[in-house]
Structure formats: C-alpha cells, structure tokens
Amino acid sequence: GENVEQHPSTLSVQEGDSAVIKCTYSDSASNYFPWYKQELGKGPQLIIDIRSNVGEKKDQRIAVTLNKTAKHFSLHITETQPEDSAVYFCAAKVWGQNFVFGPGTRLSVLP
Amino acid sequence: KAGVTQTPRYLIKTRGQQVTLSCSPISGHRSVSWYQQTPGQGLQFLFEYFSETQRNKGNFPGRFSGRQFSNSRSEMNVSTLELGDSALYLCASSFGASTSTGELFFGEGSRLTVL
C-alpha cells in the first residue's frame, strides 16, 4: 500500500525566513496531495492541495510543488510569521482508496 | 455553518474498560472517517462510514468498531482498552466518500488517556 515519508520532523526558522517541508510517496497511482496544518488543541485544517496533473500551486505565502517522476512533493512557506507555528501533515491519495498521511513536521517560527 | 463536533473532548479510562466517542459531521456531509493520532505516528486511518455503511477499514484490531446513524452522526467504540490506545481520536467529514478526492474537514478530536 501507499507509504508517505515526511522530513524534517521538526523545523525552526526565524520570522521572515522561508520554510520547506518535503514528502515522498511510494504509490505512483497517487493523484491527490493535500497539506494540513494542525494548531495546538485543534484538528488539522487543509491549507493547500495539488493534483497530479499540476506541477505547482500557490496561495499567497504558501506553495506546493509536485515531482511525479521522483514521487515527492514539497510545501513552501515564505515570509514566515509566528502564526505559522504548527504541525504540518502531508498526505497522498489514490483515487478509490483512503488518505495516507505523513508523520508530521513541527514548525516553530522564532520572533 | 457548524463544523465537525466531537464529544467528549477529553476522557480518562482504565485498562479493560470500553469507550464510545461521538462525531457529528458538517451538515450535508455523508462521510465520516476516523483517525488515531499519536506522537510520531501521524494520523492512522481507522475506518470510514458513508451512508451508514462501513466502506473501508484500516489495520486496527477488532476491538475498534464504529457505526453511522441515518443523520450521518457516527460513533466509534474501543473495547478492552489497552495502554497503547491512549491517543487523540480525530473524526473527519466530507461531502462525498473520502475515497474520492474531496476535502476532509476535521473535528478537534477526543483525547483518550488509558491508565
């Protein structure tokens, strides 16, 4: 079945710097790749997603890139702010099957 | 529009007991999925219910079970609790079956501690 790895497990950046989180997946049939943000005491919330027919997607300060050949996708956050501090989860999905999540990355934005 | 509501938010049980967790999905959503979240393990899929039928089940023992009612509300039950069952249990709803590529909307979770 699908397996999703995520790196790094923890990431600390200075406010205003960029942060990058990378995920790799194993099943080449995966065609949907969402990213979720989980703030302390809250449930995960979708922040951006990308489908396999697209290489990059941006939404203000966040972007996701997908390399289908290498089977990896990345989350990029620019101009980080303290409110970006949270745990981020990537996921991969094959149509007709369930979401498989990565183990998460704890991002800390230092003032 | 109200979000996904999970109850109770926190509970403490002892080994051998059983527990029932409840999830009310967003109005109009017919799919409810359950996930177990533990430190370092991410979100592990338990099962999904769609229109009162279990569609998929993850790799968890039979002590973990669930059901969905006609109003789409769902419950999950864990019998004969073990220490390793301590976790945050998350419920997610979606309009269609989660096996399609619709967005999952998560509740805030039920934190279970087994002593």
Side-chain angles (χ1 to χ4, degrees), chain A residues 35-107:
Chain A
W35 285 89
Y36 284 82
K37 174 184 181 183
Q38 185 176 27
E39 298 177 343
L40 195 62
K42 300 284 184 68
Q45 183 175 14
L46 179 71
I47 56 172
I48 195 166
D49 57 10
I50 192 167
R51 299 182 189 274
S52 59
N53 59 345
V54 176
E56 183 177 4
K57 184 177 179 180
K58 283 186 177 181
D59 183 3
Q60 299 182 343
R61 296 186 298 108
I62 61 173
V64 57
T65 58
L66 171 65
N67 183 325
K68 286 190 297 182
T69 302
K71 289 191 281 189
H72 66 71
F73 56 112
S74 300
L75 177 70
H76 305 254
I77 306 175
T78 59
E79 300 173 16
T80 52
Q81 302 169 2
E83 52 265 38
D84 295 328
S85 294
V87 178
Y88 292 81
F89 293 97
C90 63
K93 192 179 184 314
V94 176
W95 193 92
Q97 298 182 20
N98 297 293
F99 289 87
V100 177
F101 287 84
T105 296
R106 182 174 299 279
L107 173 65

Side-chain angles (χ1 to χ4, degrees), chain B residues 10-87:
Chain B
Y10 303 91
L11 64 166
I12 299 173
K13 294 285 187 179
T14 57
R15 279 181 298 174
Q17 287 186 311
Q18 72 164 11
V19 65
T20 299
L21 309 178
S22 178
C23 172
S24 293
I26 291 172
S27 178
H29 284 191
R30 296 162 63 190
S31 169
V32 172
S33 299
W34 290 89
Y35 291 84
Q36 181 193 66
Q37 183 177 15
T38 54
Q41 294 297 314
L43 282 71
Q44 301 294 313
F45 173 73
L46 282 156
F47 30 65
E48 181 201 5
Y49 286 87
F50 181 80
S51 296
E52 301 180 66
T53 301
Q54 186 181 88
R55 288 180 62 93
N56 287 292
K57 185 171 167 55
N59 295 323
F60 280 83
R63 300 185 296 107
F64 292 80
S65 63
R67 59 178 175 169
Q68 186 179 36
F69 302 95
S70 58
N71 62 357
S72 294
R73 189 178 71 86
S74 177
E75 289 181 347
M76 68 163 281
N77 182 276
V78 188
S79 63
T80 319
L81 284 166
E82 300 176 359
L83 295 179
D85 296 333
S86 295

